[in-house]
Amino acid sequence: MLIFLLFILISESAIRIPERFRRVDLVSIDMARGRDYGEPSYNKFRKLCGLSEAKTFDSLIDQMDKKHVEALSKMYEHVDDIDYYVAGMLEKPKPGSLLGHTFQCDVGLLERCFSDTSTAIDTITNSGIRLVLLN
């Protein structure tokens, strides 16, 4: 949870707002940032985190409410096109958590990487996360 909060603080401070009270749509900025950096789709993160790869929008109901799945099906042409950040925010939270399955999985991976100083995340690719030894 600490890593997630730190990510939010870093994300917000990375945005330069010229006017003191100007409003910014942080979700849109984070979506664009993910696309700019080639972040894999939500479906790839599902697979990385031990869930089955969704073949249809209805396959997402295991992690999201039906109304959210219906909204995604209207916004995206194919289930493989869904942005990770958007779908991650729509996942049902796990008991005792604010996060759904894939966000919990990713936060867990990050915590493990940063608590073990001999490893760090080098690259996120379509096939998963590659850990690199720093020794």
Side-chain angles (χ1 to χ4, degrees), residues 3-125:
I3 300 279
F4 183 69
L5 294 175
L6 184 62
F7 171 76
I8 290 171
L9 291 174
I10 291 169
S11 181
E12 288 179 3
S13 67
I15 301 167
R16 303 285 184 246
I17 304 171
E19 301 166 24
R20 186 173 180 181
F21 298 106
R22 184 174 170 200
R23 292 183 180 202
V24 174
D25 184 352
L26 188 58
V27 173
S28 295
I29 290 170
D30 286 340
M31 281 175 54
R33 195 178 291 151
R35 291 175 181 177
D36 290 345
Y37 291 116
E39 182 178 73
S41 71
Y42 172 68
N43 222 1
K44 297 291 182 185
F45 277 98
R46 279 179 60 97
K47 190 173 179 183
L48 174 70
C49 292
L51 297 173
S52 62
E53 197 168 346
K55 303 293 183 206
T56 65
F57 285 99
D58 288 336
S59 305
L60 300 173
I61 292 177
D62 65 334
Q63 297 300 315
M64 297 177 203
D65 292 328
K66 185 154 181 63
K67 66 180 180 180
H68 294 140
V69 173
E70 289 171 359
L72 288 173
S73 71
K74 292 176 183 174
M75 288 187 284
Y76 294 95
E77 237 179 88
H78 191 270
V79 73
D80 287 331
D81 298 332
I82 300 172
D83 291 290
Y84 169 63
Y85 188 79
V86 173
M89 296 296 284
L90 294 176
E91 283 186 337
K92 297 174 194 171
K94 292 293 182 186
S97 175
L98 298 172
L99 306 175
H101 184 84
T102 56
F103 275 10
Q104 271 192 345
C105 168
D106 291 343
V107 169
L109 285 171
L110 287 172
E111 283 186 37
R112 189 174 59 190
C113 289
F114 290 117
S115 65
D116 178 3
T117 57
S118 66
T119 61
I121 293 182
D122 177 46
T123 305
I124 296 180
T125 65

